[in-house]
Amino acid sequence: MHVIVCVKQVPSVEEVKVDAETGRILREELPLMVNPNDRNAIEAALRLRDEVGGTVTAVSMGPPQAEEALREAMAMGVNRAVLISDPALAGSDAFVTSKVLAKAALKLAPFDLIVCGSRSADGETGIVGVQIAEELNLPQITWVLELKVEGEVVRAKRSIDGGYEIVEACLPAVVTVTRDANKPRYPTMRSIVEACRRPIERLSLKDLGLSPEEVGFKGSPTRIERVFQAERKRRATIISKPVEEAAREVALMILRELGKV
């Protein structure tokens, strides 16, 4: 089985800074790390490989320094790492990123499964995995907690409001895993050293059959109009009464807000 896992390098979440005019995250000024949710995706891919055999390929789109994220993926245990890097990709939105990753998957075909984190810690759009499936016209399972492959079928336990459900899809497919899916393994010192010695393959726009006009700011359909810090307007009201009385008072407060009383 060949599993492709998508890995993104993101700014350290605690120190994210945004250009107030463009809305662009100032990645150049921040320490970088592997997107936390993508570690769960890597772990899910590695567990599948360990269970049914095969290989795991980590793919990342980003500037040359994104190679660090792929080396961490290799230190965790992926068999192969591929970096898609081209200056024209700068400023690509989630839709363009999905298109580029889908093209890379076709370049790396045949594959059985594409595994992504449910969302990134910087953009928080949560659409890249979903959109990759759309680009490739593949079945998709989102918000996965547990993953099994049996023959030509992937079976997943996925999170839903108030519980979970079990769903199946035929391979090849795309899945996105949540941060509750597993506990990512820590690389050993030996695996880190070995990862530093292993080659990372590179793909350019030309390799993927894409033009500069199709990617970056030019090719991205979404625009950020305004970036601002949300104001907290809520006030806390503490009601120190027995439960039934407190419930009645809350109900009255809501009705007053709605103008019903």
Side-chain angles (χ1 to χ4, degrees):
M1 186 174 71
H2 181 201
V3 181
I4 294 174
V5 59
C6 298
V7 179
K8 184 179 184 182
Q9 190 181 50
V10 299
S12 178
V13 178
E14 293 80 13
E15 301 180 52
V16 167
K17 297 178 182 177
V18 177
D19 186 311
E21 292 187 5
T22 65
R24 191 173 67 88
I25 295 174
L26 299 171
R27 301 172 190 275
E28 302 82 3
E29 301 178 12
L30 299 171
L32 301 170
M33 63 181 189
V34 175
N35 179 46
N37 203 177
D38 291 353
R39 287 195 176 98
N40 300 96
I42 296 169
E43 180 64 32
L46 293 175
R47 291 186 185 189
L48 276 181
R49 180 200 62 188
D50 295 344
E51 188 175 327
V52 301
T55 59
V56 176
T57 301
V59 179
S60 184
M61 183 189 107
Q65 58 264 36
E67 181 178 309
E68 297 171 12
L70 290 172
R71 293 209 179 278
E72 184 171 332
M74 286 197 293
M76 288 178 70
V78 305
N79 303 89
R80 182 182 178 191
V82 179
L83 175 63
I84 310 158
S85 190
D86 194 299
L89 291 167
S92 296
D93 67 4
F95 288 99
V96 168
T97 300
S98 306
K99 181 168 65 177
V100 172
L101 290 172
K103 290 280 188 183
L106 292 176
K107 191 79 175 176
L108 298 169
F111 60 85
D112 300 285
L113 195 64
I114 298 176
V115 184
C116 304
S118 292
R119 59 180 57 224
S120 65
D122 53 356
E124 285 279 354
T125 62
I127 66 170
V128 169
V130 175
Q131 191 62 24
I132 289 173
E134 289 297 318
E135 292 282 347
L136 297 173
N137 194 29
L138 294 178
Q140 57 179 283
I141 306 176
T142 57
W143 296 100
V144 169
L145 296 166
E146 294 177 11
L147 204 54
K148 289 278 184 183
V149 169
E150 295 176 359
E152 299 299 315
V153 173
V154 57
R155 181 176 294 111
K157 176 181 177 181
R158 69 181 297 267
S159 176
I160 58 174
D161 286 341
Y164 65 86
E165 63 181 359
I166 305 295
V167 294
E168 293 181 348
C170 293
L171 297 175
V174 180
V175 301
T176 69
V177 300
T178 73
R179 292 193 68 174
D180 297 324
N182 52 48
K183 185 177 181 181
R185 65 194 69 183
Y186 287 104
T188 64
M189 184 57 70
R190 181 176 180 178
S191 68
I192 292 171
V193 172
E194 289 177 350
C196 291
R197 295 172 177 164
R198 291 168 57 192
I200 291 178
E201 300 168 49
R202 290 176 181 270
L203 291 174
S204 65
L205 284 183
K206 187 178 179 182
D207 296 324
L208 301 179
L210 292 167
S211 68
E213 289 71 28
E214 296 177 85
V215 300
F217 283 117
K218 289 182 182 177
S220 297
T222 57
R223 292 287 182 274
I224 298 173
E225 293 188 358
R226 188 164 70 101
V227 177
F228 61 95
Q229 188 167 2
E231 296 180 17
R232 291 186 178 183
K233 296 181 177 179
R234 289 184 177 180
R235 293 178 302 157
T237 301
I238 299 174
I239 302 173
S240 302
K241 294 182 178 179
V243 175
E244 290 186 0
E245 290 183 38
R248 277 195 292 272
E249 188 162 331
V250 170
L252 279 172
M253 291 167 66
I254 294 172
L255 291 172
R256 288 191 194 103
E257 287 284 334
L258 296 173
K260 300 294 184 183
V261 295

